[in-house]
Amino acid sequence: MPIKLSDHFTYRKLLRFTLPSIVMMIFTSVYSVVDGLFVSNLIGENALSAVNIMFPVAMIIGAAGFMLGAGGSAIVARTMGEGKQELANRYFTMIILCVLGLGLTLSAVSLLFVEPLARLVGASDLLMDDCLAYGRVVLGGSFVFMLQISFQTFFVTAELPKIGLFFSLASGITNIVLDYLFIGVLKIGIAGAAWGTVLGYGVGGVLPLLFFLKPPIGALRLCPTRLYWRELKNACINGSSELMSNLSASLIGILYNLQLMRMVGELGVAAYSVMMYVDFAFAAVFLGFSMGSGPIISFHYGAGNEDELKSIFRKSVTLIAIASVTMVALAQVLGRPLAMAYVGYNPDLLEMTVHGFRIFALSYLFCGMGVYGSGFFTALCNGAVSALISFLRLFLFRGGMVLLLPLLLKLDGIWLAVVVADGLGAAVAVWLMWRYRKRYHYL
């Protein structure tokens, strides 16, 4: 029987409903991981460094898609909880059209500034050609990336997480197959990796447009609409934490690259690239759970079901705590095998990567609570608190630590920076959840 947002959620039902979102985020991360494997093993470590330098720029441009998708889905789910289904459909359509229009504009503008952007984020002369070849394709395809990440959230809101998972799997498989074809068979090089990524995004971003134009299968459909300025503004404010998360993570990624380039050169950036690919897969569990549980929280908040809100909150925090301990243990065991798959051909780079990742991975004890805390307040339509958690954890704390700790601990300070920052971020999230418990009645 399909699970509805209005249901009572046991542990089993909560896991069943959020599992497709978790798997979707993991698989999205895995095909990024495979992207890195092809680039590193078939092109080389400099190409891997170039990808890691330009990818944060693409994420900065695509951050508006995270903002409108997450902020808009909370508003749509709350409107559904209030019993206004047709209005929810019009809000949904408006937000998707805004994502498409904004994405096309940003894609066009970013193509005009690829080279200065590459210089700004730390591309050396050795890496510049690869950065430009990769950046022109990926930045030009930003609009399909923005559509894909918006639809990932709205499939959950439409009570169709399994269909959202299907589109994500299709997108990832497309990327992997095209990577093999373009890099391994046709020898296009790093531009082939970029084309594989963008065409994969197209499967997850363009095909859902056609799906939601059909007679509705789930709770949402695309329909005639107009511009609802107030709701668009609220979606932007409510999704500001997701915007902040992605902007901050991208900017801090650039700062890491600049610090590593200064301290150990291209080799350090390559090691950090491997850690980021592995981190995508591990952190995807927390991101997927937050994405999957968010519409449930928004619906019951809109419906005024305080008992169910309390139940979901308690179960979610328990599951996050269990997952956090499990992630750290897995990371310590799998650190070397995963690094071997990427850079086993270079013993010095391998040892640097394994040592750094085992320190870095301690952050999984804390990052789950920070991610969930931010997503929880987004679901409650409190974008300000959600954005504060994201800003402190991903920008202020991580940025401050990556500048401060290397002065005391050299290279290990860079790897440890995220551990300290996420610990502080988790403390802030827990404090804010305690502070606002009486306003929203989830405790």
Side-chain angles (χ1 to χ4, degrees):
M1 179 181 290
I3 300 174
K4 303 292 185 183
L5 294 177
S6 56
D7 289 351
H8 168 65
F9 282 81
T10 61
Y11 276 106
R12 185 171 179 228
K13 187 173 283 189
L14 181 59
L15 284 172
R16 278 181 56 206
F17 190 81
T18 58
L19 186 60
S21 296
I22 294 170
V23 174
M24 178 173 65
M25 290 304 297
I26 290 174
F27 195 79
T28 300
S29 303
V30 166
Y31 74 69
S32 296
V33 168
V34 173
D35 220 26
L37 285 171
F38 278 112
V39 170
S40 181
N41 287 285
L42 298 182
I43 307 177
E45 61 199 47
N46 286 339
L48 183 65
S49 297
V51 171
N52 193 49
I53 283 173
M54 293 307 296
F55 192 72
V57 181
M59 292 297 290
I60 288 173
I61 294 170
F66 284 97
M67 174 185 71
L68 289 171
S73 66
I75 289 172
V76 169
R78 184 188 65 187
T79 305
M80 291 164 60
E82 293 169 349
K84 303 172 184 176
Q85 184 62 47
E86 283 305 311
L87 186 59
N89 285 328
R90 292 198 291 272
Y91 290 165
F92 164 59
T93 306
M94 175 196 68
I95 290 164
I96 291 299
L97 291 175
C98 288
V99 169
L100 178 59
L102 181 60
L104 288 168
T105 303
L106 292 175
S107 293
V109 171
S110 64
L111 284 174
L112 301 175
F113 301 101
V114 177
E115 185 168 354
L117 284 171
R119 290 287 183 195
L120 181 66
V121 298
S124 64
D125 291 337
L126 179 63
L127 302 178
M128 181 55 71
D129 287 345
D130 282 342
C131 286
L132 294 179
Y134 185 81
R136 287 190 179 107
V137 179
V138 170
L139 299 185
S142 294
F143 72 99
V144 285
F145 173 58
M146 291 171 64
L147 280 173
Q148 183 187 30
I149 56 182
S150 297
F151 277 123
Q152 284 177 344
T153 305
F154 277 115
F155 270 115
V156 180
T157 308
E159 300 173 340
L160 298 170
K162 291 182 180 178
I163 294 180
L165 174 59
F166 167 78
F167 277 106
S168 182
L169 292 174
S171 176
I173 291 169
T174 300
N175 187 10
I176 292 168
V177 171
L178 292 179
D179 271 352
Y180 173 74
L181 177 64
F182 292 156
I183 303 174
V185 177
L186 299 178
K187 309 296 183 183
I188 297 176
I190 195 169
W195 277 112
T197 297
V198 169
L199 292 173
Y201 289 155
V203 171
V206 177
L207 294 185
L209 281 172
L210 303 177
F211 175 86
F212 281 108
L213 282 170
K214 294 167 53 181
I217 297 175
L220 293 175
R221 62 182 176 86
L222 294 171
C223 65
T225 189
R226 63 178 178 84
L227 191 58
Y228 295 89
W229 282 108
R230 180 180 176 185
E231 281 67 31
L232 180 60
K233 180 192 73 172
N234 289 339
C236 293
I237 293 171
N238 195 41
S240 60
S241 63
E242 279 64 31
L243 176 70
M244 183 63 64
S245 295
N246 286 278
L247 287 177
S248 298
S250 300
L251 290 171
I252 295 306
I254 292 168
L255 181 57
Y256 266 76
N257 288 333
L258 291 171
Q259 283 281 70
L260 287 163
M261 191 70 77
R262 180 181 63 82
M263 294 180 69
V264 289
E266 287 84 2
L267 202 67
V269 175
Y272 180 61
S273 301
V274 175
M275 292 182 210
M276 289 300 96
Y277 281 120
V278 177
D279 181 60
F280 290 156
F282 278 81
V285 173
F286 301 123
L287 292 168
F289 182 81
S290 181
M291 178 188 295
S293 62
I296 304 171
I297 295 163
S298 298
F299 183 95
H300 288 286
Y301 171 58
N305 298 332
E306 292 182 6
D307 289 342
E308 187 63 21
L309 198 60
K310 291 176 182 178
S311 174
I312 294 165
F313 177 76
R314 287 195 301 269
K315 290 178 174 67
S316 297
V317 170
T318 301
L319 291 171
I320 288 290
I322 293 170
S324 297
V325 176
T326 305
M327 289 293 156
V328 174
L330 283 174
Q332 298 302 321
V333 172
L334 297 177
R336 180 170 291 276
L338 290 171
M340 281 284 293
Y342 281 95
V343 293
Y345 55 82
N346 187 325
D348 292 338
L349 180 54
L350 174 64
E351 291 307 317
M352 181 188 296
T353 303
V354 172
H355 174 74
F357 182 67
R358 283 180 171 161
I359 298 173
F360 180 97
L362 297 175
S363 65
Y364 300 133
L365 280 174
F366 311 110
C367 79
M369 190 56 67
V371 169
Y372 180 74
S374 178
F376 182 70
F377 282 106
T378 296
L380 293 172
C381 299
N382 191 330
V385 173
S386 180
L388 177 63
I389 295 172
S390 296
F391 173 77
L392 292 176
R393 185 176 74 90
L394 294 173
F395 189 78
L396 187 63
F397 294 153
R398 286 196 181 187
M401 290 302 109
V402 80
L403 292 173
L404 175 63
L405 292 184
L407 299 176
L408 305 174
L409 301 171
K410 306 297 184 185
L411 186 58
D412 279 354
I414 292 183
W415 314 135
L416 189 61
V418 70
V419 182
V420 177
D422 278 3
L424 294 171
V428 169
V430 169
W431 175 69
L432 287 170
M433 285 189 284
W434 178 257
R435 180 181 177 185
Y436 282 90
R437 70 195 187 281
K438 292 182 179 178
R439 177 187 294 188
Y440 297 107
H441 308 288
Y442 49 80
L443 273 178

